[in-house]
Amino acid sequence: MEKINRKELYNLSNQFIELFITDIFSKNQVNLKEAKERMTDEQREKLKQTVENLKEEVEGFLDASGKKTVNEEEQETKEKMESSRPLREKFINKKETKKKENEDKE
């Protein structure tokens, strides 16, 4: 499932970049064919490096969001377990926690 999300994010980021570039060209009335012809090899290389850097950032974002999702799932599981305990236990634990906090303050 993570691979599917990763592919979707890559496609989305590529579409966003294409849309952004097309918008800039149209605002500045640039002919795409002429621009490609005038582009130097150095400019093409820089553009390729920029695209690669963007891909790496997207991958890093995916990895970070995947880890965050795992942590969120653990938190939800913990909350579900907490909610399944009897009310009396919760009250006692809350009372003990407040007592400890008051002792720490003194």
Side-chain angles (χ1 to χ4, degrees):
M1 183 166 173
E2 185 177 324
K3 289 183 180 182
I4 293 171
N5 290 338
R6 188 171 290 202
K7 286 181 181 179
E8 288 177 2
L9 189 56
Y10 283 140
N11 289 336
L12 184 62
S13 65
N14 287 338
Q15 289 174 356
F16 179 71
I17 290 170
E18 287 176 21
L19 179 65
F20 183 69
I21 291 171
T22 304
D23 185 47
I24 290 173
F25 283 167
S26 66
K27 283 182 182 179
N28 295 307
Q29 299 175 350
V30 175
N31 186 344
L32 190 57
K33 290 181 182 179
E34 291 176 9
K36 285 181 180 180
E37 290 172 2
R38 289 187 304 211
M39 188 178 283
T40 65
D41 290 338
E42 183 178 315
Q43 290 172 328
R44 285 189 178 134
E45 197 60 39
K46 284 183 182 180
L47 186 58
K48 285 180 185 179
Q49 288 175 353
T50 303
V51 170
E52 288 300 319
N53 289 341
L54 285 172
K55 284 182 182 180
E56 288 175 11
E57 287 185 30
V58 168
E59 190 170 320
F61 174 76
L62 282 175
D63 291 341
S65 66
K67 290 177 185 175
K68 185 175 180 181
T69 303
V70 170
N71 291 337
E72 289 173 351
E73 288 175 4
E74 289 175 1
Q75 183 66 24
E76 288 177 7
T77 304
K78 184 177 178 182
E79 289 174 0
K80 285 179 184 178
M81 291 177 66
E82 289 282 325
S83 66
S84 66
R85 291 189 308 174
L87 185 59
R88 182 176 175 88
E89 283 182 43
K90 289 181 186 179
F91 181 74
I92 292 170
N93 287 340
K94 187 174 182 181
K95 190 175 181 181
E96 290 175 359
T97 304
K98 285 185 179 181
K99 185 177 179 181
K100 287 180 183 178
E101 287 176 358
N102 288 334
E103 289 174 0
D104 290 340
K105 289 181 181 178
E106 295 175 351

